[in-house]
Amino acid sequence: MYSAKIVADSIAENGCRLTTFEVTMPRIILAEWNTHRVFSRNTASSRAIPIKKIIDSVMRNPFIPERFPKNKAGMANDEWLTGWKESLARRGWLAARTLAVFSAKVLMKLGVHKQIANRLLEPFMWVTSVTTATEWKNFFSLRCSPLAQPEIMKVALMMQEEYRTSKPKLIKKGEWHLPYVTEQEKIFHKDEAPLLSAGRCGKVSYLTHGISNMAHQDISIARDKMVGNRHWSPVEHPATPMDTNDFNGNFKGWKQQRKFYEGESGE
């Protein structure tokens, strides 16, 4: 289930590169992922996805650690359980998954909302995140290191290779970095293309993100439900180049769509 792919890779005439990844990773590392404040991100939500869908997922394809590190002082580890201990640890993990599923089903039958019931399943879930940033050096330095938790190191190494081999597209002043928007849509929906991109990025909360044949609906979702309700994070992914390579928000050399809205900072 580990995956990392670039969905939009752009470079401005000021030399600043802006890259959007779609990444699937174990949910247990999401807190570490979220410590990187230079990221603009939207992630599949335990509050949004139906309980039954999550249960089906963790039964069919649960996250299971590839190896179980031995307990020791500190966070880094380089020793692993082997033999019968490793086998028993794996069985214990799956037993906990089964108990969590049973408990989530009980809460579901009682009518408990998914924003609570799904929390029991999170250690066994995979999660997908759409993440955009200009600054990746620190992330790769920290997370591609053997000192990082193995699960985040694995996905970071995949991302680093994608980033290294990808060739960013030149975006000129007045043009836009638009994840999940096709070239034809950029022409047809020229004035609303940033909203189209934002709508599709934000729908990762429900795992319905990506290119679709419902462009007008995606634009409406962005305008009415995201911007209209001041959910600003999806409108951070589309961005247009600046003349300088100064920071604007958390991007260098790029101005997010969010920054075009009065009061977006909460003032």
Side-chain angles (χ1 to χ4, degrees):
M1 285 290 290
Y2 285 95
S3 69
K5 66 178 182 179
I6 290 175
V7 296
D9 196 4
S10 305
I11 190 163
E13 292 175 301
N14 59 26
C16 296
R17 181 178 177 182
L18 180 63
T19 308
T20 300
F21 278 94
E22 180 184 307
V23 177
T24 299
M25 55 192 165
R27 200 189 188 286
I28 63 167
I29 61 172
L30 186 58
E32 295 173 66
W33 185 266
N34 289 340
T35 63
H36 294 275
R37 293 178 293 173
V38 293
F39 287 176
S40 288
R41 60 198 147 222
N42 289 98
T43 305
S45 172
S46 297
R47 298 185 62 207
I49 302 172
I51 305 170
K52 187 177 184 304
K53 187 174 182 179
I54 298 294
I55 287 174
D56 289 344
S57 177
V58 300
M59 287 303 296
R60 287 185 291 103
N61 190 23
F63 163 69
I64 306 171
E66 294 181 2
R67 295 190 293 176
F68 289 85
K70 292 183 178 180
N71 191 28
K72 59 184 293 188
M75 293 188 291
N77 55 276
D78 53 8
E79 296 183 82
W80 310 90
L81 296 183
T82 59
W84 67 269
K85 288 187 177 181
E86 190 275 339
S87 178
L88 193 57
R90 188 171 301 274
R91 291 183 184 183
W93 184 270
L94 287 173
R97 181 276 313 265
T98 302
L99 181 58
V101 167
F102 173 80
S103 300
K105 285 182 176 179
V106 170
L107 296 186
M108 182 172 64
K109 291 291 185 182
L110 292 172
V112 175
H113 194 278
K114 55 185 175 291
Q115 69 180 345
I116 294 297
N118 278 342
R119 303 300 180 183
L120 298 174
L121 305 170
E122 288 180 349
F124 315 100
M125 289 167 53
W126 297 89
V127 68
T128 298
S129 178
V130 176
T131 301
T132 304
T134 58
E135 308 307 298
W136 292 98
K137 184 176 180 180
N138 179 253
F139 171 77
F140 291 142
S141 175
L142 288 176
R143 303 306 184 180
C144 294
S145 165
L147 297 177
Q149 183 158 337
E151 288 78 14
I152 198 169
M153 182 178 72
K154 181 169 183 174
V155 77
L157 287 169
M158 294 170 66
M159 293 171 66
Q160 186 181 51
E161 180 62 15
E162 286 285 308
Y163 190 81
R164 185 186 67 81
T165 57
S166 177
K167 184 177 180 180
K169 178 182 177 181
L170 177 64
I171 301 295
K172 297 181 180 179
K173 186 176 180 180
E175 297 178 337
W176 285 80
H177 172 90
L178 296 170
Y180 299 122
V181 178
T182 67
E183 292 301 319
Q184 293 82 359
E185 288 172 327
K186 290 176 184 178
I187 297 171
F188 189 76
H189 299 283
K190 181 178 179 181
D191 295 334
E192 296 181 306
L195 282 173
L196 176 58
S197 177
R200 289 175 173 174
C201 289
K203 285 166 63 179
V204 72
S205 293
Y206 299 86
L207 289 179
T208 57
H209 59 293
I211 296 171
S212 72
N213 59 359
M214 300 181 293
H216 291 291
Q217 180 179 324
D218 294 335
I219 291 168
S220 177
I221 287 172
R223 180 190 297 112
D224 301 333
K225 295 186 178 181
M226 296 175 184
V227 175
N229 291 319
R230 304 178 70 80
H231 292 304
W232 296 115
S233 56
V235 288
E236 292 183 9
H237 300 280
T240 190
M242 301 193 305
D243 291 327
T244 68
N245 59 1
D246 296 328
F247 274 93
N248 186 273
N250 54 306
F251 289 175
K252 184 178 182 180
W254 293 80
K255 185 175 181 179
Q256 300 164 332
Q257 184 193 17
R258 171 177 182 162
K259 296 301 179 181
F260 288 90
Y261 291 97
E262 184 177 354
E264 58 81 27
S265 64
E267 297 177 357

